[in-house]
Amino acid sequence: IAGITQAPTSQILAAGRRMTLRCTQDMRHNAMYWYRQDLGLGLRLIHYSNTAGTTGKGEVPDGYSVSRANTDDFPLTLASAVPSQTSVYFCASSTADSTDTQYFGPGTRLTVL
Amino acid sequence: LAKTTQPISMDSYEGQEVNITCSHNNIATNDYITWYQQFPSQGPRFIIQGYKTKVTNEVASLFIPADRKSSTLSLPRVSLSDTAVYYCLVGDGEDTGRRALTFGSGTRLQVQP
């Protein structure tokens, strides 16, 4: 059982380029999330999806978009990357019940130059 | 959003018990309290969750007083491998359709030999 996988592991990107971070889970969890974590800080929620076909904005959604075409996949797209989006990105999933324990992927380290 | 307050850092020695207290004065009636552990370059990992009184698993214990305005994570006999950042989280307690987990800066635990 893989749990949650993210790709790529790391990426260096020129400013202005488009980039999609991939996230796949095999736990059949209803809810999925994208967080960013800047150096030395906690995680901030970018976007979330409570179930396939629905998405919502988190704390820092500007410059990012997501889609949830099916239960397993939740890609995060940066339409035109900027240096301030340099961060580590974590994808997570949960059953979205009252206890809502989230399970995190290994992260993608993104550097925008 | 329910906000949490934790100490920024703590130091301990191998074999000691470590207690990390988190304040969440505005916790809502149906909020659970969840603790995560994060190692460098990894995603957060679920440690323990509780609603009231005491919860114990193979890793830690969680103590929650009757008013639920705080909680204490207890790590028995820590080892060097317990060096990590520990996050205390509560949900937003409202049926907003969003699982609004807010990660603060966490508590950086350093275990020394």
Side-chain angles (χ1 to χ4, degrees), chain A residues 59-75:
Chain A
E59 181 184 358
V60 288
D62 294 342
Y64 306 94
S65 64
V66 292
S67 62
R68 186 88 183 278
N70 56 63
T71 298
D72 298 343
D73 301 300
F74 191 42

Side-chain angles (χ1 to χ4, degrees), chain B residues 10-75:
Chain B
M10 296 183 68
D11 293 312
S12 183
Y13 292 94
E14 281 191 295
Q16 289 188 334
E17 178 183 79
V18 171
N19 296 308
I20 305 174
T21 296
C22 177
S23 297
H24 27 79
N25 292 318
N26 297 322
I27 189 169
T29 302
N30 57 342
D31 278 348
Y32 280 75
I33 300 157
T34 309
W35 285 79
Y36 290 82
Q37 175 191 56
Q38 186 179 28
F39 297 114
S41 302
Q42 296 185 23
R45 183 175 72 103
F46 170 85
I47 301 177
I48 196 166
Q49 183 179 70
Y51 184 79
K52 61 181 179 180
T53 63
K54 176 184 175 182
V55 179
T56 297
N57 61 22
E58 65 278 6
V59 177
S61 294
L62 179 60
F63 299 92
I64 305 169
D67 65 6
R68 302 197 334 117
K69 294 184 181 300
S70 67
S71 59
T72 298
L73 174 72
S74 180
L75 305 173

